[in-house]
Amino acid sequence: MEILLIADDLTGTLDGAAALVGAGVDVCTRIDFQNGAGLPTTNAAVLAVNADTRHVAPAVAWERVARIVAAGRAAGARVIMKKTDSALRGNIGSELAGVLDAVPGAGPIRFMPAFPAMKRVTKGGIQYIEGVPVNESVFGRDPFEPVTRSSVREIIASQVPELSVGCRSMDKVLEEDAGSADVIVYDAESDEEMSRCCREALDGSSPVLLAGCAGFAQALASVLDERGHLSATRYPGRGPGNLLVFCGSVNEVSTSQCTYARKAGNPSFSLPDESKFYPEWVESDAFKAFESQVAESWRTNALTVIESGARFDPNVLPGVHYTGTTEDLRCLVSRNLGRILKHLVHGSCLVFVMGGDVFLSFLEEMGVTSISLVAEVATGVVMSEFMYEGSPVRVISKSGGFGEPDLFVSLACRLAQGSAPVRSTASSSVPSSPVTSQNPKKEEVLVACSSPIA
């Protein structure tokens, strides 16, 4: 093992590892610490691990990351990368402290949270999303985990006050004490700045401690590629089958993508609130009718969308008085959505799962503990594969909060045609029907996606 990548949720694990597929990657969906399980044995150059620390207590996040890093170092990993969320959600400070405590004296950690390709940059130690500080973006309005600060230093200090944090750009030190800090936060507004930071880190002593989002992983991959350490990866091509989108994210960007697909004329189904609250809904007559309708649409249409709907109050359900916490409700909904998706999947198929918690729940329902990466089909959108009852199931995944409104439509079209991944450049306006669009390029996409894969 050369590189150990650790993320706080499953979608982050995959989009961080996707850029490194050419080096050889094994993906561990989650480490079972309660039963004493350690890192899986691998012959791959890169091991990507979901530590599942996004929603746990800070002390638990610290312990998990420290144990994984220690095991990775014992297995020979020279580069340790703590994959973080580009909107700075989760236990970032505790996780960085866990990395440092597992390799004493090896710091500092070079932390580059920018992702310029997705319009997420760091300037003066402040994280910006599409030109606005992150706490003023859609992530500041997240119903479950709103980001309340935009200063990377303040976010880390609010979690681990004793961790010293310095700031610098690639051309100058922004603060005099940056060179002696435990964590150095780098400004970056371009891919070249990201790559320069990686070159500087790889040319230094071992071990190399890095932190950042998928943008930094891509920069690492670009440097490895220019040094001849990556082999070419092949685009997955057609199929298998038509695309079912299962959206378990309540982020407004995700819901707008569902709305676009629906207004573009693609079949769309909404799950009732009781399906998210009651585990036994999958045994009901209502589910059987729902399953039959979805199966027919999935079989006959290139794109079918299932929306989980907006965040809901279980107390409005007949006869229910819910007393659990918001976190309890989030876990309950994720488990139930994963169970529903599991009952919808039969044989070889292609499904797009939105939301890391739902994706992990789905894999657990299917009994899957490791998956194979296939390709990154768009920025931050990853295709992976596993076998279930003798048939290949390909799953596309991404976290909520990014992507063009026409993402589902354009991706379904490209997959149906077997074409190489090309990021969408269509306008965000939605025509009233596929055949009346005045945008020739968009009309071509919408019409092409009306033809299913035989």
Side-chain angles (χ1 to χ4, degrees), residues 120-185:
R120 301 181 181 189
V121 302
T122 313
K123 295 187 290 186
I126 303 296
Q127 190 76 350
Y128 290 85
I129 306 289
E130 296 188 341
V132 300
V134 62
N135 68 329
E136 299 175 18
S137 72
V138 294
F139 296 98
R141 302 188 293 274
D142 189 287
F144 288 112
E145 47 179 341
V147 180
T148 59
R149 296 177 173 88
S150 293
S151 165
V152 184
R153 177 206 289 274
E154 290 180 7
I155 290 174
I156 295 174
S158 69
Q159 299 174 8
V160 188
E162 61 271 24
L163 206 61
S164 61
V165 182
C167 298
R168 63 162 291 185
S169 69
M170 287 309 301
D171 298 316
K172 62 181 179 180
V173 175
L174 302 179
E175 298 169 354
E176 292 301 323
D177 62 346
S180 60
D182 297 320
V183 178
I184 301 177
V185 178

Side-chain angles (χ1 to χ4, degrees), residues 140-364:
R141 302 188 293 274
D142 189 287
F144 288 112
E145 47 179 341
V147 180
T148 59
R149 296 177 173 88
S150 293
S151 165
V152 184
R153 177 206 289 274
E154 290 180 7
I155 290 174
I156 295 174
S158 69
Q159 299 174 8
V160 188
E162 61 271 24
L163 206 61
S164 61
V165 182
C167 298
R168 63 162 291 185
S169 69
M170 287 309 301
D171 298 316
K172 62 181 179 180
V173 175
L174 302 179
E175 298 169 354
E176 292 301 323
D177 62 346
S180 60
D182 297 320
V183 178
I184 301 177
V185 178
Y186 283 78
D187 279 4
E189 298 182 61
S190 69
D191 291 338
E192 175 53 31
E193 288 175 304
M194 309 281 285
S195 296
R196 285 172 60 193
C197 183
C198 282
R199 292 188 195 99
E200 178 184 280
L202 293 176
D203 289 339
S205 60
S206 180
V208 177
L209 305 183
L210 306 175
C213 65
F216 204 14
Q218 291 183 359
L220 176 60
S222 70
V223 174
L224 293 176
D225 186 35
E226 69 188 23
R227 297 182 179 187
H229 297 305
L230 291 183
S231 59
T233 57
R234 186 176 61 85
Y235 182 68
R238 284 174 66 93
N242 299 316
L243 180 64
L244 175 71
V245 171
F246 191 90
C247 182
S249 170
V250 296
N251 188 287
E252 58 192 70
V253 174
S254 303
T255 57
S256 71
Q257 290 163 344
C258 291
T259 299
Y260 183 99
R262 183 175 64 254
K263 290 185 177 181
N266 299 283
S268 179
F269 300 85
S270 294
L271 287 167
D273 286 343
E274 56 265 28
S275 70
K276 293 170 274 184
F277 188 75
Y278 295 114
E280 60 272 19
W281 187 75
V282 294
E283 308 297 334
S284 68
D285 291 338
F287 173 74
K288 292 176 183 176
F290 178 85
E291 180 184 25
S292 177
Q293 293 172 340
V294 169
E296 178 63 16
S297 178
W298 196 356
R299 184 182 67 83
T300 57
N301 294 279
L303 173 63
T304 298
V305 178
I306 297 177
E307 302 179 60
S308 65
R311 184 182 180 190
F312 78 107
D313 180 358
N315 292 299
V316 304
L317 297 175
V320 172
H321 179 62
Y322 184 71
T323 58
T325 65
T326 299
E327 176 63 12
D328 292 335
L329 182 60
R330 182 193 65 79
C331 293
L332 176 64
V333 170
S334 296
R335 287 196 303 269
N336 287 338
L337 291 179
R339 183 177 295 110
I340 290 168
L341 181 55
K342 187 254 186 182
H343 281 76
L344 294 174
V345 168
H346 302 285
S348 178
C349 62
L350 178 63
V351 60
F352 190 153
V353 185
M354 294 277 290
D357 296 331
V358 176
F359 187 18
L360 182 58
S361 175
F362 167 61
L363 292 178
E364 290 176 340

Side-chain angles (χ1 to χ4, degrees), residues 362-381:
F362 167 61
L363 292 178
E364 290 176 340
E365 289 287 333
M366 302 287 278
V368 175
T369 58
S370 62
I371 55 181
S372 300
L373 289 183
V374 178
E376 185 176 41
V377 294
T379 301
V381 184

Side-chain angles (χ1 to χ4, degrees), residues 353-416:
V353 185
M354 294 277 290
D357 296 331
V358 176
F359 187 18
L360 182 58
S361 175
F362 167 61
L363 292 178
E364 290 176 340
E365 289 287 333
M366 302 287 278
V368 175
T369 58
S370 62
I371 55 181
S372 300
L373 289 183
V374 178
E376 185 176 41
V377 294
T379 301
V381 184
V382 183
M383 179 184 288
S384 53
E385 183 177 84
F386 61 88
M387 298 297 293
Y388 182 68
E389 296 182 345
S391 299
V393 177
R394 281 193 171 178
V395 185
I396 299 170
S397 61
K398 84 171 189 70
S399 59
F402 71 89
E404 296 297 323
D406 71 337
L407 174 64
F408 303 156
V409 175
S410 59
L411 185 57
C413 182
R414 295 185 191 107
L415 291 171

